[in-house]
């Protein structure tokens, strides 16, 4: 069996009569979909992707939202949640704390909350002391919308760090904890990350000892492959070409066995 493969959720691609994902599944290589998506719950994300024709199981999705709620529950924290309403489902039991009870600030991608009033509330909470943590579900610098690139949560996390003098704890990509949780008991040396974000996907994975295949689609910008050191293990025009490499490696390993 070939190496486990992780890649972020983007879109389904056609490859002849079979999609690259279907061809990869045909080898028996384990697959995990890792995502920093914070604008919707895992259930909503799963249902949307199934509706788009992507074939996956809910338990194949590892979301930074789930990593964040696991952390909150394990520390018995009562958060101020700066997340999109569609993501609140993943924080069941953690959404009803009043301002006087809150003892943590959690930031995801929540454009409607990135305003002076809400950011000032978060800033004041961080200043109350007693070790109030600033938890970043991820620190993505930007993301792609239908009208072009837009600011991600990262710039707002950095603004709160600068203003309050604290340091954030990142639970999503590229956090090593996130990748370890996604891999479970799999040795990172036998895993491959396919993604379009050179820092969060590829840099984070390779820092864990995985190989990173950078695809030149989605968030990719010209020259991204030179922005991390060491560079990506492979640079591919699209997901299809990345899968081609894995299929060739799988065929070779089967022939050698």
């Amino acid at each position: 069996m070939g190496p486990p493969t992780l890649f972020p959720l983007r879109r389904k691609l056609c490859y002849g009569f079979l999609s690259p994902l279907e061809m990869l599944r045909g080898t028996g290589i384990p697959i995990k979909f890792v995502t920093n998506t914070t604008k919707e719950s895992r259930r909503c994300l799963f249902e949307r992707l199934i509706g788009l024709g992507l074939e996956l199981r809910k338990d194949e999705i590892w979301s930074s939202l789930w990593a964040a709620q696991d952390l909150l529950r394990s520390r018995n924290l009562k958060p101020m949640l700066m997340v999109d309403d569609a993501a609140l489902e993943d924080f069941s039991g953690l959404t009803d704390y009043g301002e006087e009870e809150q003892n943590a600030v959690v930031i995801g991608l929540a454009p409607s909350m990135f305003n002076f009033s809400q950011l000032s509330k978060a800033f004041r909470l961080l200043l109350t002391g007693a070790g109030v943590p600033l938890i970043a579900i991820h620190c993505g610098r930007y993301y792609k919308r239908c009208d072009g690139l837009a600011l991600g949560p990262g710039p707002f996390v950095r603004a709160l760090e600068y203003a309050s003098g604290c340091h954030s704890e990142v639970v999503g990509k590229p956090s090593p904890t996130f990748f370890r949780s996604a891999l479970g008991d799999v040795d990172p040396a036998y895993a491959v990350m396919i993604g379009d974000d050179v820092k969060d996907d590829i840099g984070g994975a390779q820092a864990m000892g995985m190989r990173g295949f950078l695809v030149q689609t989605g968030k990719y910008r010209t020259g991204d492959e030179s922005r991390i050191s060491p560079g990506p293990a492979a640079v591919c025009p699209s997901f299809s070409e990345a899968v081609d490499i894995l299929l060739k490696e799988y065929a070779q390993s089967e022939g050698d066995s």
Side-chain angles (χ1 to χ4, degrees):
M1 181 176 292
T5 305
L6 290 82
F7 45 88
L9 294 167
R10 298 292 186 229
R11 58 183 65 83
K12 185 174 181 179
L13 302 174
C14 291
Y15 188 85
F17 294 103
L18 294 175
S19 72
L21 178 57
E22 290 167 331
M23 297 184 69
L24 198 56
R25 285 198 189 282
T27 66
I29 295 175
I31 294 171
K32 182 80 76 171
F33 299 84
V34 293
T35 177
N36 272 348
T37 297
T38 62
K39 289 198 68 178
E40 57 189 341
S41 68
R42 185 169 74 161
R43 179 189 60 82
C44 292
L45 176 62
F46 172 73
E47 292 177 354
R48 179 169 63 84
L49 293 169
I50 289 296
L52 291 172
L54 191 63
E55 297 179 2
L56 73 161
R57 302 189 310 269
K58 190 184 295 185
D59 63 4
E60 289 180 320
I61 299 174
W62 183 246
S63 160
S64 55
L65 287 175
W66 272 67
Q69 62 92 17
D70 278 348
L71 177 66
L72 293 172
R73 296 185 198 281
S74 69
R75 296 187 187 174
N76 196 30
L77 293 173
K78 301 173 181 179
M80 172 188 177
L81 291 169
M82 299 184 71
V83 300
D84 194 274
D85 287 346
L88 290 176
E89 179 181 322
D90 281 349
F91 293 92
S92 176
L94 297 168
T95 61
D96 299 324
Y97 298 113
E99 290 185 22
E100 69 285 352
E101 299 177 278
Q102 294 169 350
N103 59 5
V105 175
V106 177
I107 299 185
L109 181 58
S112 66
M113 300 194 74
F114 293 153
N115 56 65
F116 184 83
S117 175
Q118 291 298 321
L119 289 168
S120 292
K121 285 182 182 179
F123 166 66
R124 288 193 291 267
L125 179 55
L126 292 169
L127 289 184
T128 59
V132 174
L134 173 59
I135 299 171
I137 299 179
H138 69 88
C139 275
R141 296 168 297 156
Y142 54 85
Y143 68 106
K144 188 172 184 178
R145 305 192 310 187
C146 59
D147 60 346
L149 297 179
L151 287 175
F156 302 97
V157 173
R158 296 292 179 249
L160 287 172
E161 286 182 327
Y162 176 75
S164 66
C166 73
H167 295 284
S168 64
E169 180 174 353
V170 182
V171 297
K173 297 179 294 181
S175 162
T177 301
F178 179 83
F179 282 108
R180 278 195 293 268
S181 299
L183 286 171
D185 59 1
V186 173
D187 185 340
Y190 295 98
V192 175
M193 175 74 200
I194 302 174
D196 60 5
D197 188 313
V198 71
K199 290 188 175 181
D200 287 357
D201 292 339
I202 308 307
Q206 294 193 157
M208 279 287 298
M210 302 166 59
R211 286 190 297 160
F213 289 6
L214 177 66
V215 292
Q216 297 171 310
T217 57
K219 292 174 67 175
Y220 172 83
R221 310 293 290 171
T222 301
D224 274 353
E225 54 269 36
S226 64
R227 294 190 171 103
I228 59 171
S229 181
V235 179
C236 308
S238 72
F239 180 55
S240 297
E241 284 77 8
V243 170
D244 280 344
I245 294 174
L246 292 177
L247 293 175
K248 289 175 182 176
E249 290 181 355
Y250 174 80
Q252 182 176 351
S253 68
E254 288 294 290
D256 293 341
S257 60

